[in-house]
Amino acid sequence: MAMLVLLLVTLPLMFAQDPRTQPSPSPTARAFEGMITDTRCGAKHPATVAATATNCTLACVRGGEQFVLVDGDTTYLLEGDVMVLKRGAGQRVRIVGTLNGRKISVTSVVTT
């Protein structure tokens, strides 16, 4: 009987999860505004290219650069659906996504 009581008392403790191993709650999505450009050019596309900001951004991304959002002096690396990011390339946009450090996981892009 004592063994059964001990088992009933310790069994729930065996299956209790350590709070340190629990996943942290996911950050909430929020809105960001700025211009979608690339890691090479940032907010200033060279005038010597004789291309629009959109064409310059797309050419740089094809060349291996990554999409970024420039908002004043702040630059965020963008990750998400490349086709959605391409549609906003070189344009002022409103992005909804989750910020992790300096990277935004993009869920939507709307040109403004």
Side-chain angles (χ1 to χ4, degrees):
M1 180 70 162
M3 185 64 111
L4 181 58
V5 170
L6 182 62
L7 181 63
L8 291 175
V9 170
T10 58
L11 193 57
L13 297 174
M14 291 172 46
F15 292 101
Q17 295 185 1
D18 185 346
R20 294 172 293 181
T21 61
Q22 295 293 315
S24 60
S26 64
T28 55
R30 61 179 245 215
F32 302 87
E33 292 191 9
M35 181 175 161
I36 293 182
T37 183
D38 60 89
T39 49
R40 179 172 179 253
C41 295
K44 301 194 185 304
H45 298 276
T48 57
V49 174
T52 65
T54 298
N55 291 340
C56 183
T57 299
L58 294 174
C60 288
V61 168
R62 274 192 303 274
E65 299 299 324
Q66 293 182 293
F67 284 110
V68 295
L69 179 74
V70 175
D71 179 14
D73 293 333
T74 308
T75 301
Y76 301 98
L77 192 61
L78 300 176
E79 66 179 10
D81 185 340
V82 174
M83 294 308 294
V84 171
L85 295 173
K86 283 182 177 181
R87 284 194 294 267
Q91 298 179 55
R92 186 138 180 83
V93 295
R94 183 172 194 262
I95 288 178
V96 175
T98 305
L99 180 63
N100 184 8
R102 298 302 257 183
K103 184 183 288 186
I104 301 172
S105 295
V106 178
T107 55
S108 69
V109 176
V110 177
T111 57
T112 55

